[in-house]
Amino acid sequence: MLENAYKLNNQAILLAKDGSYKEAIACFVRAITLDKENTLLWYNLGITYRDAGNLNAAIESLEHAHDIDDTDIEVLEELAIIYYNISNFDQAIACCHEGLDLNPQNPNLWNTLGVVYFNQANYKDACESFEMAVMINPYHADALYNLRDTYKKLGNKTGAQECSSRLSQIRKNGDFVL
């Protein structure tokens, strides 16, 4: 049977799901030797490195995926989150803005941008970002939670209560989206 990047990718995904990260990474690396310009392979390698706890290697792989295709929103979303997790807020913000330039209707990027601002105690910009996320997707539970907390920081009791009410309604209706 001939080895190909598609089969190696699928095998690596199964290995990663089982927690066999070292083996999964080896499969992705082998697949990449067969198809060096495949954004999906680099993305999946980055996600596997992330899951294995190697955030620097994850960033390197995801940045390579971004170099191949700078319009892939999922790559930018993941990079923003990883940069946030290592407290590189400037890079996280840059990834969010780059992604939002490509798709200003992406509620996940707006939410991530808000999280970064919130953690910088920039509650005004955090509020605006969370409001955009909720405006785009009124069922985005993470953004509603974050907006509620931001309203509380800003002293907006009415806004915080509205977010709590929406979250309760979403839970009641089973429309919970994270």
Side-chain angles (χ1 to χ4, degrees), residues 12 17 24 47 67 70 74 80 92-93 95 106 109 111 116 123 137 139 141 145 162 166 168 178:
K17 283 183 181 178
I47 296 301
D67 289 342
D70 64 358
E74 287 183 46
I93 289 169
C95 288
N106 185 309
L109 282 169
N111 184 61
V116 176
Y123 302 120
N137 179 359
Y139 301 101
Y145 275 117
E162 175 61 28
R166 276 180 155 185
S168 293
L178 293 177

Side-chain angles (χ1 to χ4, degrees), residues 51-161:
D51 292 348
N54 188 343
L55 298 184
N56 289 329
I59 289 170
E60 193 175 304
S61 297
L62 291 165
E63 288 285 359
H64 194 88
H66 182 62
D67 289 342
I68 295 168
D69 180 1
D70 64 358
T71 64
D72 191 321
I73 298 290
E74 287 183 46
V75 171
L76 288 166
E77 284 181 20
E78 194 58 46
L79 277 168
I81 291 167
I82 293 173
Y83 279 127
Y84 164 75
N85 285 330
I86 64 170
S87 300
N88 188 337
F89 298 139
D90 291 339
Q91 279 299 110
I93 289 169
C95 288
C96 287
H97 282 294
E98 186 176 346
L100 290 168
D101 285 345
L102 295 168
N103 179 8
Q105 297 299 307
N106 185 309
N108 296 326
L109 282 169
W110 282 112
N111 184 61
T112 300
L113 184 60
V115 168
V116 176
Y117 286 143
F118 186 91
N119 281 278
Q120 293 179 313
N122 180 349
Y123 302 120
K124 180 185 173 291
D125 287 343
C127 184
E128 290 175 10
S129 297
F130 296 136
E131 286 174 341
M132 284 297 296
V134 171
M135 183 181 73
I136 294 164
N137 179 359
Y139 301 101
H140 197 297
D142 281 350
L144 279 168
Y145 275 117
N146 294 332
L147 182 57
R148 180 191 63 194
D149 292 347
T150 306
Y151 281 153
K152 286 178 182 177
K153 287 284 190 184
L154 293 170
N156 182 345
K157 292 178 184 178
T158 305
Q161 181 54 47

